[in-house]
Amino acid sequence: MSVNQQAHTGPPYGQPQPGYQGFQQPAYGGQSLPGAPQSQYGAYNGPVPGYQQPVPPQGSLRAPPTSGAPPPASGASHPSGHVAYSQFEHGDVQNGIPASAAPMQRPPASQPFLPGSAPTPVSQMSTFQQYGPPPGSVQQLRNHMAGMTIGSTAASAPPPAGLGYASVPPVSGSVSATGSGLYTPYSASQGPPPPSVSQALPVAQPLFPGQTIPTQRLPAQVPGFTPPPPSTGVGPSSYPPTTGAPRPPAMPGPPLPGQTLAGPPSSQPNHVSSPPPPSTMAGLHPGPPMSGLHGPPPPTHPPQPGYQMQQNGSFGQMRGPQPNYGGAYPGAPNYGSPPGPPPPPKRLDPDSIPSPIQVIEDDRNNRGSEPFVTGVRGQVPPLVTTNFLVKDQGNASPRYIRCTSYNIPCTSDMAKQSQVPLAAVIKPLATLPPEETLPYLVDHGESGPVRCNRCKAYMCPFMQFIEGGRRFQCCFCSCVTEVPPHYFQHLDHTGKRVDFYDRPELSLGSYEFLATVDYCKNNKFPSPPAFIFMIDVSYNAVKSGLVRLICEELKSLLDYLPREGNMEESAIRVGFVTYNKVLHFYNVKSSLAQPQMMVVSDVADMFVPLLDGFLVNVNESRTVIASLLDQIPEMFADTRETETVFAPVIQAGLEALKAAECAGKLFIFHTSLPVAEAPGKLKNRDDRKLINTDKEKTLFQPQTSFYNNLAKDCVAQGCCVDLFLFPNQYLDVATLGVVPYQTGGSIYKYAYFQLETDQYRFLNDLRRDVQKEVGFDAVMRVRTSTGIRATDFFGAFYMSNTTDVEMAGLDCDKTITVEFKHDDKLSEDSGALLQCALLYTSCAGQRRLRIHNLSLNCCTQLADLYRNCETDTLINYLAKYAYRGVLSSPVKTVRDALINQCAQILACYRKNCASPSSAGQLILPECMKLLPVYLNCVLKSDVLQPGPEVTTDDRAYIRQLVTSMDVAETNVFFYPRLLPLTKADVDSDSLPAAIRNSEERLSKGDIYLLENGLNIFVWVGVNVQQSLIQNLFGVSSFSQISNALSTLPVLENPFSKKVRSVVDMLQGQRSRYMKLIIVKQEDKLEMLFRHFLVEDKSLSGGASYVDFLCHMHKEIRQLLS
């Protein structure tokens, strides 16, 4: 550890931070909205509680810039008020890992010098010197400063040029207090603060011009990888060339200790002063506004002192003293230079740390145009946020399987050393876009699919045919199996079968087999499945209008039951039950004139009072069903029954399916805690006092084991449960959710359901849920080649043994996440293989096997592992791992374990793969540079760090929801998408360019949309032009905009049409219909909206991105020392 680095003494993460200096700390949760019930967290399905109004920090929102300034280069990020969004916003932020075969280099952006930076005399050495022997040559010097290095500058470095803040350094002697947006005085007597960890991202001793925060890209071709040197030229026309490209010999870099250079010297004076920032701009570095043009600034201005040169995508600023991070120690000596006036400590510039928006944008530009061809082993697919086409040539599409790494360590020791989890997120029945072909169905007749004799793997493209095609060697276990006579085919001169391209199972990564009777329960083919609709008719459900709404919708919805390919009508039969304290079954046999009702009041011993006429064909019984749906709301219109049962309802559905000898799905519409005397009766055990105690885990556990046993029976029968909840108070989602969760079903929650605002969302969810593709009575097994095996599984399913994942139902939105561990060595030559086999019954009652195969590379060098990781999938796995952890461990333990594992992943990279550099620099692997920001979002999520307004039910609901999400859903859930609507081009079909999730990106004169897969917020700034408000909301002023809107008004003007089409486009991409919430700036709801600005500090004590990056850096340095 260098002499001038001070140990960090901040408190552990996750504790609420003291109030910021400079502006009043708001109080929260005080008032409730008129007419809305209190303590409801509207973000997750329900109206939103009131919050006390915070005092808005002065100047924290930027005013829209005016043009007339030199245009920023493409590396510059524009202030959020800016019209043009550069394709590369934050320098060379790249994503996607080079495929094992040919590394894909990205066109990086260069960071310009801002006009005006003059060379300074060499004699003014920067305050802090870097220790260590001087590099012997210019080349070594370049290597020393190479690769996108994430380092921070010494306190003397002013803000980076060309980034989102316009750049005039703040006056000497002022500090930007973290997050506050206001400057606080910094006394001269203190001396310059050392570049310590305590100052946010103390990421280096002096960051010389050109030296940077390395998120390193390792050139795939160099085994020992010296990262490419950064450009070292200094002067008006020297822009850093692209990383990874050969550099022209340029001027030698900045002097290091013991080295002097002639030519324009590059060290910075450490006492540049400038006029103090005007008070109106508190929190922003004033400076030339940026115009909307792209391209390098005209290199006509001579450089001025005070701007450090930025390497592509680097981040080099230091943050001032922060709450919970001790400031400088008083009187820090100036090493290596005469003491001068104290330099102004700087805030680490958020624009100079890795940006998710930039990475997503770069991946879209680089990989969105070409189809992703799956023929090559171990290729890393484009990001989930990129719209791309897949061509199956032997490996399953990334829509079906995504891995945390596509190049896995050969040995378990190497895997343990890196701590990178090896996992696959599998979505066996994923929906494909219309331009991609569905998996082919292969029918081998009575003999069934060809399989390996020993391990029972299914025929796939990686099996090796030998002895002229008479036998094949299994690619999973190496056993040799005879080819059945009917399957024999000759081999060509390359050893391939002549019918290779005619057989999907030999040439494609994904395909289906028609299963024989041996694959069926009790050795008989299954009957088509049934849907049973079970409606709560207690007082709350009737009074809210819910019962009438459901009955009206079912009349038309029953015509849209899922059907097989070209079938005229669906084979699914339907049945109806209503319930409160007792159950009512309905006979809707087609021969009846009127439906008949049968009541079962003995709920302790549930049975189905009728067989014939309960489950019917919709077309045959259409008139009787319509009559029943008309009568139900009238029959219970005057009910006074408030109590409900729950477990007997599931038992009734299960018994009905057993009697009909078929699988199926129960759609249960339920409103309250089941307190009526019956099996599975629950009590209210909600207790917020348990939060942050060792007993907090009980809030996530079911309060009785009754439902676990019931779930087991349901899975055995193929009875899947989808639960629609409409609670007005605590209802124990953790317990009620057990059966839906373990049967592969879904839970939907509409808190404080109100007909006028929530019906549209509920009906959309119900329609999609009834119509979507689903496999019944499903069993999934994942086989692997020798050397690794599946050891752990996450998702909505039941397991009765260690290998088979059983689901009563599996729909097209559900994923199963599988973790692999080594049980032997792997070889680089043969790689590793996975085969996921799903046996299920289709909606027409056909038994099928769906097979997905994937081949991965294996490596002996850690660098290859880190070059081929997929951060989005890694975060998906880590979130699920953590969300399962809260069932058995205190939440704090789970959070600490997450931080520790990620620190170990990054420390291992730093130690083994990065080129040597100062310990003060944070170095991230190129494809993991977003790991810290995304991990921080997981840590700040409501399950792991709830705010005061989040209910216990919300947490249990989110925990279950995330556990079966796919990678695209967790990506937008943890880092929501923020779009400036006022920047949208009304004439194009595309979405406006997204911006980063931080309050400082919002401008008062604009309207923004934020979506996270469950909600869409439309945030309206106080200074939005009146004409825009008129065009979007149909009212004449900001004050008239209603918060109660659940859909945008349909107005005939281009802006309204554009915004509604954006909303519709986003709704179409998500598996659930998102709740629309209108948020006016400085309104009560704004607190809720801010909760989703995940790069900022959260109200519940979660760190800002910048602070967390510092914390991660500290953890990594502790591990390395």
Side-chain angles (χ1 to χ4, degrees):
M1 194 158 156
S2 303
V3 201
N4 60 352
Q5 279 167 342
Q6 166 190 343
H8 167 79
T9 50
Y13 263 70
Q15 294 180 3
Q17 316 280 356
Y20 296 149
Q21 301 155 303
F23 74 90
Q24 191 178 329
Q25 187 80 352
Y28 307 110
Q31 311 145 309
S32 57
L33 272 171
Q38 206 171 344
S39 97
Q40 165 50 19
Y41 182 44
Y44 298 126
N45 304 338
V48 187
Y51 295 91
Q52 226 166 290
Q53 180 101 355
V55 179
Q58 192 183 1
S60 63
L61 294 169
R62 317 173 175 196
T66 55
S67 61
S74 58
S77 126
H78 301 277
S80 60
H82 224 277
V83 182
Y85 278 83
S86 162
Q87 167 182 343
F88 305 108
E89 250 173 68
H90 308 287
D92 179 11
V93 182
Q94 293 163 328
N95 200 25
I97 309 94
S100 55
M104 298 207 327
Q105 298 293 353
R106 305 283 155 91
S110 50
Q111 300 269 25
F113 257 151
L114 246 223
S117 307
T120 53
V122 160
S123 61
Q124 286 178 304
M125 282 297 282
S126 76
T127 321
F128 302 112
Q129 299 299 339
Q130 187 143 347
Y131 289 88
S137 68
V138 172
Q139 182 55 42
Q140 270 177 293
L141 172 64
R142 286 186 193 157
N143 292 348
H144 186 78
M145 308 185 318
M148 223 188 105
T149 15
I150 299 191
S152 106
T153 9
S156 58
L163 293 161
Y165 289 94
S167 348
V168 170
V171 64
S172 176
S174 73
V175 169
S176 152
T178 315
S180 72
L182 296 175
Y183 288 102
T184 48
Y186 165 13
S187 78
S189 63
Q190 281 178 288
S196 67
V197 179
S198 61
Q199 280 183 293
L201 194 55
V203 229
Q205 286 97 352
L207 204 67
F208 300 109
Q211 184 173 341
T212 51
I213 207 186
T215 43
Q216 281 202 341
R217 168 177 329 127
L218 303 171
Q221 63 282 13
V222 187
F225 45 84
T226 328
S231 127
T232 43
V234 175
S237 59
S238 145
Y239 300 106
T242 56
T243 314
R247 317 219 170 225
M251 240 169 231
L256 288 170
Q259 207 179 357
T260 47
L261 292 173
S266 43
S267 77
Q268 307 291 339
N270 56 17
H271 53 266
V272 174
S273 31
S274 65
S279 59
T280 53
M281 291 280 288
L284 299 183
H285 302 303
M290 311 230 176
S291 81
L293 300 166
H294 297 289
T300 50
H301 308 263
Q304 287 172 2
Y307 292 102
Q308 89 171 47
M309 176 171 145
Q310 282 274 333
Q311 167 69 8
N312 300 334
S314 64
F315 42 110
Q317 295 317 67
M318 199 171 239
R319 218 159 174 176
Q322 308 182 23
N324 278 340
Y325 279 80
Y329 42 80
N334 278 352
Y335 294 109
S337 77
K346 298 297 182 311
R347 192 172 164 237
L348 178 68
D349 184 344
D351 273 336
S352 55
I353 53 184
S355 154
I357 303 304
Q358 189 56 50
V359 169
I360 289 168
E361 194 53 40
D362 288 350
D363 193 74
R364 277 189 190 139
N365 294 333
N366 294 319
R367 304 197 65 183
S369 50
E370 294 293 308
F372 178 69
V373 180
T374 70
V376 181
R377 183 175 85 189
Q379 272 189 108
V380 183
L383 296 187
V384 283
T385 42
T386 298
N387 196 0
F388 60 98
L389 206 63
V390 180
K391 287 201 170 146
D392 185 341
Q393 290 192 357
N395 281 293
S397 160
R399 304 191 206 287
Y400 295 124
I401 308 184
R402 275 188 178 263
C403 294
T404 51
S405 178
Y406 287 80
N407 200 334
I408 60 181
C410 282
T411 63
S412 61
D413 290 347
M414 192 172 150
K416 283 193 192 102
Q417 187 186 358
S418 75
Q419 286 287 312
V420 175
L422 305 176
V425 180
I426 306 174
K427 194 174 179 182
L429 298 178
T431 311
L432 299 183
E435 52 276 20
E436 291 177 22
T437 41
L438 292 169
Y440 290 101
L441 181 60
V442 179
D443 184 357
H444 282 318
E446 286 182 19
S447 57
V450 179
R451 303 176 69 174
C452 164
N453 272 346
R454 185 197 291 159
C455 71
K456 301 294 181 220
Y458 294 87
M459 180 53 67
C460 72
F462 312 118
M463 297 289 191
Q464 191 65 46
F465 286 89
I466 53 174
E467 296 178 22
R470 284 189 294 280
R471 295 170 147 209
F472 68 91
Q473 184 169 24
C474 177
C475 50
F476 295 95
C477 70
S478 303
C479 172
V480 174
T481 302
E482 294 280 338
V483 173
H486 71 87
Y487 198 69
F488 174 78
Q489 186 51 271
H490 295 285
L491 308 184
D492 65 11
H493 63 285
T494 63
K496 254 187 195 168
R497 283 174 54 125
V498 206
D499 60 356
F500 175 81
Y501 290 109
D502 304 331
R503 291 195 177 271
E505 73 273 21
L506 298 182
S507 52
L508 299 176
S510 302
Y511 41 88
E512 291 199 314
F513 291 120
L514 204 52
T516 58
V517 77
D518 307 335
Y519 292 87
C520 302
K521 243 184 221 164
N522 310 324
N523 274 9
K524 61 185 235 193
F525 284 112
S527 309
F531 282 0
I532 304 176
F533 297 91
M534 316 185 90
I535 306 168
D536 173 348
V537 288
S538 63
Y539 178 75
N540 275 346
V542 174
K543 180 169 152 281
S544 66
L546 181 63
V547 173
R548 187 174 295 281
L549 182 70
I550 294 168
C551 292
E552 278 303 314
E553 177 61 29
L554 287 179
K555 286 186 207 168
S556 54
L557 188 54
L558 293 177
D559 287 333
Y560 297 97
L561 298 176
R563 65 187 76 179
E564 202 73 74
N566 49 11
M567 288 172 59
E568 287 293 306
E569 61 177 57
S570 173
I572 293 174
R573 290 170 297 161
V574 297
F576 303 89
V577 172
T578 55
Y579 67 94
N580 38 45
K581 263 164 67 169
V582 298
L583 276 77
H584 323 104
F585 292 79
Y586 296 94
N587 183 345
V588 281
K589 200 172 175 177
S590 56
S591 55
L592 295 174
Q594 282 294 323
Q596 293 172 347
M597 169 168 153
M598 298 182 187
V599 180
V600 175
S601 51
D602 181 7
V603 289
D605 183 20
M606 187 41 66
F607 67 98
V608 179
L610 75 160
L611 286 180
D612 190 27
F614 179 63
L615 292 178
V616 297
N617 173 295
V618 174
N619 280 340
E620 289 170 14
S621 297
R622 184 176 298 280
T623 51
V624 196
I625 292 172
S627 170
L628 170 68
L629 294 172
D630 282 336
Q631 289 175 37
I632 288 174
E634 307 308 328
M635 269 191 287
F636 298 100
D638 301 324
T639 183
R640 285 279 164 269
E641 189 53 75
T642 55
E643 293 189 349
T644 57
V645 296
F646 184 69
V649 181
I650 297 176
Q651 286 170 325
L654 171 61
E655 292 303 323
L657 294 176
K658 266 187 192 163
E661 296 185 345
C662 68
K665 187 182 266 201
L666 313 182
F667 295 84
I668 303 179
F669 305 91
H670 189 79
T671 60
S672 58
L673 190 70
V675 293
E677 227 20 85
K681 173 185 171 179
L682 300 179
K683 57 182 195 290
N684 186 336
R685 53 160 188 164
D686 189 16
D687 186 359
R688 293 193 60 82
K689 291 197 286 295
L690 298 182
I691 292 178
N692 294 327
T693 69
D694 284 351
K695 287 189 177 164
E696 183 172 5
K697 57 179 180 254
T698 59
L699 297 175
F700 295 111
Q701 298 163 352
Q703 58 173 285
T704 157
S705 63
F706 182 87
Y707 288 95
N708 294 73
N709 298 327
L710 181 53
K712 185 176 168 183
D713 296 341
C714 286
V715 172
Q717 180 54 43
C719 168
C720 175
V721 178
D722 279 359
L723 181 57
F724 292 81
L725 294 172
F726 305 86
N728 287 334
Q729 58 200 19
Y730 176 74
L731 150 122
D732 202 347
V733 173
T735 306
L736 297 188
V738 168
V739 179
Y741 185 66
Q742 294 192 14
T743 57
S746 308
I747 305 178
Y748 296 84
K749 181 163 161 287
Y750 311 88
Y752 306 108
F753 178 81
Q754 288 176 323
L755 208 59
E756 55 282 4
T757 54
D758 295 316
Q759 66 166 344
Y760 196 60
R761 180 165 58 107
F762 159 59
L763 293 179
N764 271 285
D765 284 342
L766 176 60
R767 286 167 195 155
R768 190 166 189 280
D769 196 55
V770 168
Q771 294 173 41
K772 67 185 171 190
E773 183 188 356
V774 61
F776 294 94
D777 235 336
V779 184
M780 185 184 102
R781 186 177 282 197
V782 178
R783 294 178 174 82
T784 53
S785 53
T786 315
I788 52 168
R789 62 195 168 89
T791 54
D792 208 351
F793 300 85
F794 304 82
F797 52 75
Y798 173 78
M799 290 186 83
S800 55
N801 57 35
T802 55
T803 55
D804 294 342
V805 174
E806 299 173 47
M807 294 152 290
L810 172 69
D811 64 49
C812 54
D813 298 323
K814 296 281 185 304
T815 62
I816 293 97
T817 302
V818 185
E819 186 179 7
F820 303 97
K821 291 260 165 50
H822 286 77
D823 56 7
D824 204 345
K825 281 202 173 77
L826 294 163
S827 92
E828 281 187 285
D829 299 337
S830 52
L833 301 174
L834 326 173
Q835 183 179 79
C836 158
L838 175 79
L839 174 65
Y840 71 99
T841 302
S842 75
C843 59
Q846 207 177 44
R847 202 71 177 144
R848 294 180 174 184
L849 282 152
R850 180 168 287 202
I851 314 293
H852 298 297
N853 303 288
L854 187 63
S855 59
L856 302 172
N857 286 326
C858 297
C859 57
T860 52
Q861 298 292 321
L862 281 164
D864 291 327
L865 163 70
Y866 283 102
R867 203 184 285 120
N868 291 279
C869 286
E870 230 257 312
T871 300
D872 293 327
T873 310
L874 190 56
I875 288 292
N876 180 285
Y877 164 84
L878 290 171
K880 290 171 180 177
Y881 183 78
Y883 281 17
R884 184 175 69 183
V886 298
L887 291 173
S888 52
S889 309
V891 171
K892 185 180 184 311
T893 312
V894 173
R895 293 165 46 79
D896 292 346
L898 268 184
I899 294 175
N900 183 43
Q901 180 167 8
C902 288
Q904 286 188 323
I905 291 172
L906 297 174
C908 173
Y909 173 81
R910 173 66 194 257
K911 184 178 171 189
N912 299 290
C913 308
S915 51
S917 57
S918 119
Q921 283 176 308
L922 171 57
I923 301 186
L924 301 172
E926 173 63 22
C927 65
M928 281 192 191
K929 62 182 158 198
L930 299 181
L931 188 60
V933 61
Y934 286 163
L935 178 71
N936 190 34
C937 297
V938 174
L939 293 169
K940 284 164 41 164
S941 65
D942 293 324
V943 172
L944 298 182
Q945 195 163 38
E949 74 290 358
V950 182
T951 67
T952 306
D953 274 347
D954 287 326
R955 295 177 75 197
Y957 173 63
I958 291 305
R959 195 192 76 77
Q960 293 203 5
L961 205 55
V962 168
T963 308
S964 45
M965 275 185 183
D966 69 12
V967 180
E969 288 171 320
T970 49
N971 174 273
V972 77
F973 179 74
F974 290 115
Y975 192 95
R977 179 151 52 163
L978 182 59
L979 306 174
L981 293 177
T982 20
K983 305 280 185 294
D985 177 359
V986 292
D987 300 321
S988 93
D989 293 338
S990 59
L991 293 172
I995 57 172
R996 292 173 67 170
N997 277 324
S998 170
E999 195 176 353
E1000 58 187 28
R1001 310 277 163 180
L1002 305 178
S1003 144
K1004 294 182 179 185
D1006 287 323
I1007 301 174
Y1008 298 86
L1009 180 150
L1010 181 143
E1011 64 124 353
N1012 73 341
L1014 294 184
N1015 305 289
I1016 290 182
F1017 292 91
V1018 173
W1019 183 91
V1020 187
V1022 285
N1023 296 347
V1024 171
Q1025 290 172 13
Q1026 190 252 329
S1027 60
L1028 283 177
I1029 292 175
Q1030 183 72 52
N1031 283 343
L1032 188 56
F1033 299 103
V1035 295
S1036 54
S1037 70
F1038 178 80
S1039 59
Q1040 291 174 302
I1041 299 171
S1042 163
N1043 277 342
L1045 291 174
S1046 58
T1047 53
L1048 291 169
V1050 177
L1051 302 171
E1052 285 304 310
N1053 66 69
F1055 185 59
S1056 171
K1057 284 179 182 165
K1058 176 65 187 178
V1059 172
R1060 283 181 288 113
S1061 83
V1062 167
V1063 170
D1064 291 344
M1065 191 186 300
L1066 298 179
Q1067 293 284 22
Q1069 293 171 5
R1070 306 284 167 231
S1071 60
R1072 292 172 180 240
Y1073 195 84
M1074 294 181 279
K1075 180 185 177 74
L1076 181 75
I1077 301 169
I1078 308 291
V1079 179
K1080 292 153 72 174
Q1081 189 184 350
E1082 295 168 13
D1083 189 55
K1084 294 190 186 102
L1085 281 177
E1086 201 181 23
M1087 276 300 132
L1088 177 63
F1089 173 74
R1090 283 193 194 164
H1091 177 77
F1092 296 98
L1093 298 175
V1094 290
E1095 289 197 21
D1096 299 339
K1097 197 180 229 80
S1098 75
L1099 307 178
S1100 50
S1104 70
Y1105 176 17
V1106 169
D1107 291 352
F1108 184 69
L1109 203 54
C1110 305
H1111 181 69
M1112 280 305 284
H1113 186 229
K1114 181 197 123 208
E1115 295 279 324
I1116 291 166
R1117 288 173 65 175
Q1118 279 178 347
L1119 289 171
L1120 291 174
S1121 60

